């Protein structure tokens, strides 16, 4: 068994798509639109086969995303090396995203940084 994909609602669908394509090398499909409901989505595919569905609909409730809450906490991307974690963390910082923590080695041995990315969603960069 494998996780087929993860999905998340976003307010700005194109900005979210562009974020995952630019920083993580994702490849986007051409999108889907249900004219009756207003639902729109893109599937972003990554080199290792992982997929992320980003979605939008007109009646979304964009609530505050407190990091200490129940539910999904973050998406983690394995970048392959400490140097790549450092480089992408700096690139995101320079592009105006908030670095919440790191880069650092955590108590359980992960080398990581956490970014508050688009719309306050947390992205973890790890080796």
């Amino acid at each position: 068994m494998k996780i087929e994909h993860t999905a998340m609602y976003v307010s700005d669908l194109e900005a979210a798509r562009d974020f995952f394509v630019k920083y993580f090398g994702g490849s986007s499909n051409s999108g889907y639109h249900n004219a009756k409901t207003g639902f729109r989505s893109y599937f972003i595919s990554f080199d290792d086969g992982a997929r992320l569905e980003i979605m939008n609909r007109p009646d979304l409730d964009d609530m505050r995303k407190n990091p200490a809450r129940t539910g999904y906490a973050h998406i983690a991307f394995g970048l392959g090396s400490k140097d790549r974690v450092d480089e992408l963390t700096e690139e995101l910082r320079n592009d105006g995203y908030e670095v919440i923590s790191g880069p650092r080695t955590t108590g359980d041995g992960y080398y990581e940084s956490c970014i508050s990315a688009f719309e306050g969603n947390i992205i973890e960069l790890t080796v």
Side-chain angles (χ1 to χ4, degrees):
M1 184 181 310
K2 72 173 187 170
I3 295 176
E4 204 291 323
H5 71 270
T6 300
M8 65 189 302
Y9 276 111
V10 298
S11 294
D12 188 334
L13 193 58
E14 281 70 29
R17 178 197 58 202
D18 294 348
F19 177 86
F20 288 107
V21 169
K22 176 180 179 177
Y23 295 109
F24 299 99
S27 173
S28 176
N29 71 351
S30 61
Y32 168 76
H33 178 226
N34 181 322
K36 184 177 179 179
T37 65
F39 175 86
R40 294 179 180 272
S41 70
Y42 289 106
F43 271 95
I44 311 296
S45 299
F46 301 93
D47 288 343
D48 70 348
R51 296 188 328 145
L52 173 65
E53 182 181 15
I54 51 174
M55 310 171 299
N56 179 276
R57 54 187 288 161
D59 60 348
L60 287 178
D61 184 9
D62 190 15
M63 299 168 38
R64 186 173 181 278
K65 295 167 186 75
N66 182 349
R69 69 181 190 291
T70 59
Y72 297 104
H74 62 264
I75 299 173
F77 286 88
L79 304 179
S81 72
K82 288 182 177 183
D83 287 342
R84 187 67 188 121
V85 170
D86 294 345
E87 291 165 4
L88 187 52
T89 300
E90 247 345 272
E91 181 179 355
L92 288 161
R93 181 191 325 268
N94 291 337
D95 286 352
Y97 294 98
E98 178 187 1
V99 177
I100 298 170
S101 66
R104 66 189 178 104
T105 301
T106 63
D108 56 357
Y110 280 90
Y111 188 76
E112 68 178 34
S113 65
C114 289
I115 311 298
S116 179
F118 65 93
E119 300 176 12
N121 293 292
I122 297 174
I123 305 293
E124 180 180 294
L125 310 176
T126 189
V127 175

